[in-house]
Amino acid sequence: MKRIFGMAAVLLSQQLYAQQQQAPAYPLITHDPYFSIWSATDKLTASTTRHWTGTEQSLTGFVKVDGVTYRVLGAPGHSYRALAATADMEPYQVRYTETAPAKGWEDPAFNDANWKTGNAPFVKEEKTTGTPWFTDDVWVRRTFTVDDANVDKLLLKINHDDNAEVYLNGERIYSYVGWLNHMEYFPISEEAKKKLRKGTNVLAMHCTNTRGGAYLDGGIVTDDKDKWADKIQVAEQKNVTLEATRTIYDLTCGKVDVKLTFTSPLLLKDLDLMSRPVSYVSYKVKTNDGRKHKVEVYFGASSDLAVNTSAEEVTAQQYTSEGLSILKTGSVAQPVLAKKGDDLRIDWGYLYVAVPQSAGATQYVTKEGVAPSSFAAKRKPETLDRGRQLVLNTSVSLGKVDGTEKEQVFLVGYDDIYSIQYFEANLKPWWKKDDSYTIEKELKKAQDDYASVIGRCTAFDKELYELAKQTGGEKYAKLCVLGYRQSIAAHKLVKSPQGEILFLSKENFSNGCINTVDVTYPSAPLYLVYNPDLMKGMLNGIFYFSESGKYTQPYAAHDLGTYPLANGQAYGEGMPVEESGNMIILTAAIAKAEGNVNYARQHWKTLTTWAEYLLKEGFDPANQLCTDDFAGHLARNANLSVKAIVGLGCYAMLADMLGDKASAQKYRTAATEMVPKWMQLAEDGDHYTLAFENKGTWSQKYNLVWDKVLNLGLFPKAVYEKEIKYYLTQQLTYGLPLDSRKKYTKSDWILWTAALTDNQADFAALVDPVYKYAQETPSRVPLSDWHETADGKMVGFQARSVVGGYFMQILGTTLKK
């Protein structure tokens, strides 16, 4: 395979290259599933920045020009003060009953003397710090005391599973049928707020468990807003430019122009740089009126970046090391690798903000609510070293600024100490090769290498964009740019105890699994193009699982556990044909990309076992799960059969490269003989069916793409052509549906299907609606790969690595060279 061409071939003017575009959400800091911060609005100042899960993780930025302060980053955050704390902040006791109470149970005067006494939360578990709850219903009354009922904004803070209703001093303030996944805040109306009184108050809650888990915990909080927040002016945003490794905002702060750039240097060929958990936030300022002005810049980061919920207590400190002035914060508890699951943020390790000591920065730690005024009004705040919702504040004076650009760079890093538990062994991040590697030294390297790193990122961004544009057109190139950082940041890079590279994905907002094979499969093209070693890192754990004897099935595992614990398959049901085919195909793709069969040779026995399974069970699959399991089980799945046939063809290709001509002939013959049978069983006039002999149905046969990309020559070209021609008649506004059962789709599969075309017009016809979706979707989250083709709304999933699959057209082009 000829490697990606150098910069000499892609020199374009900055005007032609730089592309302003909208995105569902804009990547700001993107390193791994825990250190991943986004802006969910087109204007950087229109919303609080957040973790990819949607939980607020506030970054703030200000620029002061001749004493006038402008906000350039983030929106005023929330500083919640508990009037009735929830159990995630401090324990509290309630009166409760599990049998229907008398009328008026929610009134303050109700006599609950015969009710039980228990601790919150109420959980469907025997072992809990709260109260075990296994009945259908629970009624709860808690009293709390308020010293001053005159508050600006009152909110209910609650998490419940399932249906809940809540009363404050007898007034209903909340009712919801369904469940929440985490603590949420709901404003209490002005009328209901009048029920709050000085002295004793009663919060009454009723929760009904309809199925599955059960949970109840609720309290009352107020949002203490910084009075200075409204006095700070908002910068005017002129432009936003998305590139593969950078997001660049152009803003105007009165007489000064500001270029605010977020760079996460995820250069896939440089694993040490890619794994360094440090992003750059650069302020470049210059005047726009021909005069000199005094300028000061500020960057703030919330301690919420270092906890799962804002209720968790943190510590913070300021110190100097390696020539840097550093702020640090992390949870008091430090429960390293203690939690697993999907909708979670990290609550161990430490967040760092650093600048060179030579910058003469002012650094301090405050409560969230007083951070803006501490900079804008120069009010001396109370400096804290412990608390909740703290802010790491750093400001730097740039002195007098004129028409010549001045720059100040802030380093934002995260040391997670241990990243992954891998078959009971806690693994450190890739960059921490031994104890001599410290986060302070990594921050220092990042500072020292800044100019060269930015130069490399700039060159790479241009190269990627031009390559994608030449391969598939401008809209295709923009989709690749949009997917690049998202895909990488859904993984964590570590080294196994056996010394192998592990590049482990999290199945974001799907089920939270780690190293899911059918997430690896669609993600693969990006890594096969830029660094096949990372592709191996996505397969190594699955091979080890089987070859160590820990997994004994004759087919590939589905996953290695629930992120960040990779201790064995968590998914309740296997996908035998799906995952075995995936592993064989991707191993063959590595061989094609590298031009040798060394990796396959290491795992030949395992690959052979899986190939034998496909030979026996793959052609006419039974009613088993496949990667599109959200669409339901399906027997005789024609697209899954394609995967088995292509998988057998890939195994034959590998056998041939190994010199095992007998095996190559056997499996090649088997695969080729299956093709006409497949065509007959799936035939439906002008297209092929969703399932064998199921007339009147259809589906995207995206698995065919490997036959073309790897040049296996199994299926006649006429099969591709017939399918593509039919697909072009089935498209809706925002893309081609996944199959005839629903109108929703998977955008990664559309991009694979588009790679089956043989002309730019058909390719663009399939890709352009996906780009339109990315521009117009009302779902403001990191790109969802599962959306409705009629209205562009997400169905589920977000921030997943599978958008690496957008690079399939590039992969097909590069493998031919």
Side-chain angles (χ1 to χ4, degrees), residues 36 52 93-94 124 524 529 536 585 623 711 729 731 792 809:
S36 181
W52 68 259
Q93 199 171 70
V94 300
K124 193 175 181 180
V529 169
K536 297 172 191 173
I585 291 168
N623 191 1
N711 196 29
T729 69
Q731 294 203 103
Q809 182 76 353

Side-chain angles (χ1 to χ4, degrees), residues 347-518:
D347 57 3
W348 74 90
Y350 296 91
L351 171 72
Y352 296 80
V353 176
V355 292
Q357 286 181 265
S358 59
T362 300
Q363 289 190 308
Y364 51 96
V365 180
T366 63
K367 291 182 179 179
E368 176 106 25
V370 300
S373 64
S374 71
F375 175 73
K378 286 295 183 184
R379 292 182 175 177
K380 188 174 182 180
E382 177 188 6
T383 300
L384 304 172
D385 60 10
R386 189 167 176 141
R388 295 181 175 89
Q389 287 192 285
L390 304 183
V391 179
L392 307 183
N393 305 273
T394 303
S395 63
V396 177
S397 173
L398 299 181
K400 292 285 187 177
V401 175
D402 55 23
T404 301
E405 206 166 57
K406 282 191 176 182
E407 181 177 24
Q408 179 59 51
V409 178
F410 298 84
L411 307 173
V412 186
Y414 205 99
D415 182 4
D416 57 9
I417 305 172
Y418 286 98
S419 304
I420 298 291
Q421 187 174 96
Y422 182 72
F423 296 103
E424 311 303 332
N426 289 351
L427 305 183
K428 295 180 180 180
W430 179 273
W431 63 267
K432 196 175 289 188
K433 301 184 190 319
D434 57 49
D435 291 342
S436 70
Y437 287 78
T438 66
I439 189 64
E440 289 83 3
K441 290 180 180 177
E442 293 301 305
L443 290 164
K444 174 64 171 172
K445 288 179 191 174
Q447 176 63 39
D448 291 347
D449 296 345
Y450 174 67
S452 65
V453 168
I454 293 299
R456 291 170 63 191
C457 286
T458 302
F460 174 78
D461 292 346
K462 292 179 179 179
E463 183 179 275
L464 183 152
Y465 181 82
E466 180 62 14
L467 175 61
K469 185 178 178 182
Q470 289 183 2
T471 303
E474 184 176 15
K475 291 179 180 178
Y476 174 67
K478 289 182 177 181
L479 281 172
C480 288
V481 167
L482 188 59
Y484 184 81
R485 269 177 285 171
Q486 174 172 316
S487 181
I488 299 168
H491 295 83
K492 188 68 179 183
L493 184 64
V494 293
K495 184 178 288 187
S496 77
Q498 295 76 33
E500 291 186 318
I501 182 174
L502 296 174
F503 191 49
L504 305 176
S505 65
K506 180 175 181 180
E507 196 169 341
N508 291 343
F509 268 27
S510 176
N511 65 9
C513 279
I514 186 170
N515 203 188
T516 304
V517 177
D518 58 294

Side-chain angles (χ1 to χ4, degrees), residues 28 37-39 47-51 55-59 73-74:
L28 304 180
I37 306 167
W38 300 69
S39 173
S47 64
T48 307
T49 61
R50 57 194 64 228
H51 186 256
T55 296
E56 289 186 0
Q57 292 191 332
S58 178
L59 302 177
L73 165 60

Side-chain angles (χ1 to χ4, degrees), residues 34-327:
Y34 286 136
F35 195 28
S36 181
I37 306 167
W38 300 69
S39 173
T41 46
D42 295 325
K43 289 191 175 181
L44 186 59
T45 53
S47 64
T48 307
T49 61
R50 57 194 64 228
H51 186 256
W52 68 259
T53 56
T55 296
E56 289 186 0
Q57 292 191 332
S58 178
L59 302 177
T60 49
F62 303 108
V63 174
K64 187 182 293 182
V65 182
D66 295 334
V68 178
T69 302
Y70 297 83
R71 177 160 48 86
V72 296
L73 165 60
H78 299 284
S79 181
Y80 297 116
R81 176 169 56 88
L83 302 182
T86 47
D88 59 352
M89 293 187 69
E90 59 185 56
Y92 67 91
Q93 199 171 70
V94 300
R95 304 284 286 179
Y96 75 97
T97 180
E98 294 169 293
T99 57
K103 185 178 179 180
W105 67 274
E106 71 276 12
D107 292 334
F110 182 80
N111 184 358
D112 59 16
N114 293 327
W115 289 22
K116 302 175 186 176
T117 300
N119 295 323
F122 287 78
V123 190
K124 193 175 181 180
E125 295 176 4
E126 288 290 356
K127 294 182 179 179
T128 173
T129 56
T131 300
W133 168 35
F134 292 94
T135 59
D136 291 341
D137 291 88
V138 65
W139 289 261
V140 173
R141 288 168 54 89
R142 66 174 297 193
T143 58
F144 63 99
T145 303
V146 172
D147 295 329
D148 183 2
N150 184 25
V151 295
D152 290 333
K153 192 173 182 181
L154 202 64
L155 302 101
L156 170 69
K157 178 183 176 183
I158 191 169
N159 187 9
H160 61 84
D161 184 359
D162 295 294
N163 311 338
E165 56 179 339
V166 182
Y167 300 82
L168 174 61
N169 291 331
E171 180 87 7
R172 188 161 75 173
I173 59 173
Y174 178 82
S175 179
Y176 184 76
V177 176
W179 64 92
L180 306 179
N181 293 316
H182 51 260
M183 281 291 180
E184 294 192 33
Y185 298 84
F186 298 93
I188 295 174
S189 70
E190 287 297 315
E191 192 63 30
K193 192 175 75 172
K194 295 176 183 177
K195 288 288 185 177
L196 186 71
R197 59 199 183 200
K198 184 178 180 179
T200 301
N201 295 264
V202 174
L203 188 69
M205 300 179 283
H206 170 215
C207 190
T208 300
N209 178 39
T210 59
R211 60 189 176 281
Y215 193 91
L216 179 63
D217 181 17
I220 299 292
V221 302
T222 182
D223 190 358
D224 290 334
K225 187 178 180 182
D226 186 346
K227 304 301 182 184
W228 260 86
D230 294 333
K231 299 179 182 179
I232 294 172
Q233 297 189 35
V234 179
E236 180 185 0
Q237 184 173 307
K238 300 287 191 179
N239 185 53
V240 57
T241 303
L242 267 176
E243 299 180 356
T245 64
R246 298 174 296 160
T247 304
I248 305 165
Y249 293 90
D250 292 299
L251 309 111
T252 295
C253 300
K255 299 170 183 177
V256 167
D257 291 334
V258 178
K259 187 179 289 292
L260 186 55
T261 302
F262 299 84
T263 305
S264 295
L266 305 180
L267 301 180
L268 294 177
K269 294 180 183 178
D270 186 341
L271 298 186
D272 289 343
L273 175 62
M274 187 192 97
S275 68
R276 180 191 296 161
V278 180
S279 278
Y280 301 105
V281 181
S282 161
Y283 291 65
K284 288 184 178 179
V285 300
K286 63 179 180 180
T287 61
N288 55 38
D289 66 350
R291 299 182 179 182
K292 292 185 177 181
H293 298 282
K294 185 179 180 182
V295 177
E296 190 174 355
V297 295
Y298 164 97
F299 177 75
S302 171
S303 64
D304 285 352
L305 273 71
V307 290
N308 181 39
T309 72
S310 60
E312 295 175 55
E313 192 174 17
V314 300
T315 59
Q317 66 179 112
Q318 194 280 327
Y319 65 105
T320 59
S321 178
E322 301 289 337
L324 299 172
S325 184
I326 301 172
L327 288 168

Side-chain angles (χ1 to χ4, degrees), residues 650-709:
C650 285
Y651 180 83
M653 183 194 90
L654 292 169
D656 188 59
M657 292 175 73
L658 282 167
D660 185 353
K661 302 301 181 183
S663 293
Q665 179 64 35
K666 173 185 173 183
Y667 284 90
R668 174 74 187 181
T669 299
T672 54
E673 288 179 350
M674 289 177 182
V675 171
K677 296 177 184 177
W678 182 94
M679 294 171 66
Q680 179 183 358
L681 290 171
E683 176 63 37
D684 197 13
D686 58 356
H687 68 281
Y688 295 100
T689 56
L690 167 65
F692 288 155
E693 300 182 312
N694 189 1
K695 303 293 186 181
T697 65
W698 66 273
S699 65
Q700 291 187 49
K701 309 301 189 299
Y702 54 80
N703 287 319
L704 281 169
V705 74
W706 293 105
D707 186 34
K708 180 181 179 182
V709 165

